[in-house]
Amino acid sequence: MKGLWNSAKWELRESGLLNWKVLLFLGFWAIYDLVSARSWGSVAMTGHLSFHLIVFAILAVCQGLRWPFTGSFDLERTSDRPAWQSLLGRTLAWAAVIAVGSALQQASLWIHLEWFKALYPQIFSDGAEQVARLEAWTGGAGFLTALLLGMGLYVLSITVALCCKSGKKRHRATLSTAAVMTILTGLLLWFFLRSLPLGFVGLGVILTGLTASIWLLTYKVE
């Protein structure tokens, strides 16, 4: 448990999320989301109310790509900490962060749902359908789906980065290459699996990616 905790703690420190200025900004924005936010466009509105979730997911992906190319990765590899602790500690840390973002999204949507219901049918020809989609996303199922998708993106990024570091040209692997490969892999998964429920896709990527990442980190990555 100590190894998991240390990996999670250092991951959050490296991400900058434990900086008091960052926490203060995110806190003020969360309050703003919950008490205000009005827009004529449904995409802009839902994006605004999902600000924390989007930011946390992007930050998680950036950290997942970046970690195998940093000095902290080298320290992990020279320590006695098992690969599964290094990976699961970081994954659990981001699970907690993305869960907070998903919870804030759900709270924002719930608070503004009546406003959506009253206004959207008046200003959009498909306003009722837009409200129905938002209403279907609100609740426990929407929270879990967002969490699984966010975690799936993180696990995908770190798995691809470790694959780049374990290939034949591992010493030439770069962060930009890992980023491009992550985007391409994500697009391929979306193309072939878009008909499946999003939550199941996220869960499948998490389980498969973590298994592959632990194996790569244990046996392949130098």
Side-chain angles (χ1 to χ4, degrees):
M1 291 298 294
K2 185 178 180 181
L4 291 174
W5 167 251
N6 287 334
S7 293
K9 179 178 64 177
W10 283 106
E11 176 70 7
L12 293 180
R13 283 184 177 178
E14 289 183 354
S15 71
L17 282 176
L18 297 184
N19 185 295
W20 71 269
K21 294 180 181 179
V22 175
L23 292 175
L24 188 63
F25 168 75
L26 293 173
F28 275 122
W29 192 278
I31 295 172
Y32 178 65
D33 274 350
L34 295 175
V35 300
S36 62
R38 292 292 184 266
S39 172
W40 294 105
S42 61
V43 175
M45 181 66 179
T46 52
H48 179 79
L49 297 180
S50 304
F51 172 80
H52 288 81
L53 178 61
I54 295 170
V55 168
F56 292 159
I58 292 174
L59 189 57
V61 170
C62 291
Q63 282 295 109
L65 289 170
R66 180 174 166 270
W67 178 57
F69 300 92
T70 61
S72 63
F73 177 81
D74 297 330
L75 290 175
E76 289 274 359
R77 295 299 294 148
T78 56
S79 69
D80 294 329
R81 190 174 300 161
W84 67 269
Q85 288 188 0
S86 299
L87 288 166
L88 288 185
R90 284 167 168 77
T91 302
L92 291 174
W94 284 112
V97 171
I98 293 174
V100 171
S102 184
L104 288 172
Q105 181 200 51
Q106 290 299 318
S108 299
L109 289 174
W110 182 78
I111 288 173
H112 293 87
L113 189 59
E114 293 303 319
W115 180 82
F116 281 119
K117 290 180 178 179
L119 188 61
Y120 272 33
Q122 300 178 23
I123 60 177
F124 296 113
S125 58
D126 62 340
E129 289 79 5
Q130 292 189 37
V131 172
R133 287 195 294 270
L134 287 174
E135 201 166 12
W137 189 261
T138 306
F143 169 84
L144 187 59
T145 299
L147 175 60
L148 291 173
L149 283 177
M151 288 309 303
L153 289 173
Y154 170 72
V155 172
L156 176 65
S157 67
I158 202 169
T159 303
V160 172
L162 289 174
C163 282
C164 292
K165 289 285 288 186
S166 64
K168 293 181 179 180
K169 298 181 179 179
R170 60 173 65 91
H171 300 300
R172 298 182 182 179
T174 62
L175 179 59
S176 58
T177 301
V180 171
M181 293 302 296
T182 299
I183 293 173
L184 292 177
T185 305
L187 290 175
L188 285 174
L189 288 174
W190 172 254
F191 179 78
F192 289 107
L193 304 178
R194 64 183 183 275
S195 60
L196 298 177
L198 295 177
F200 285 108
V201 173
L203 181 60
V205 171
I206 292 170
L207 295 177
T208 305
L210 277 179
T211 302
S213 294
I214 292 172
W215 182 80
L216 287 168
L217 190 58
T218 303
Y219 299 107
K220 291 291 183 180
V221 180
E222 292 184 354

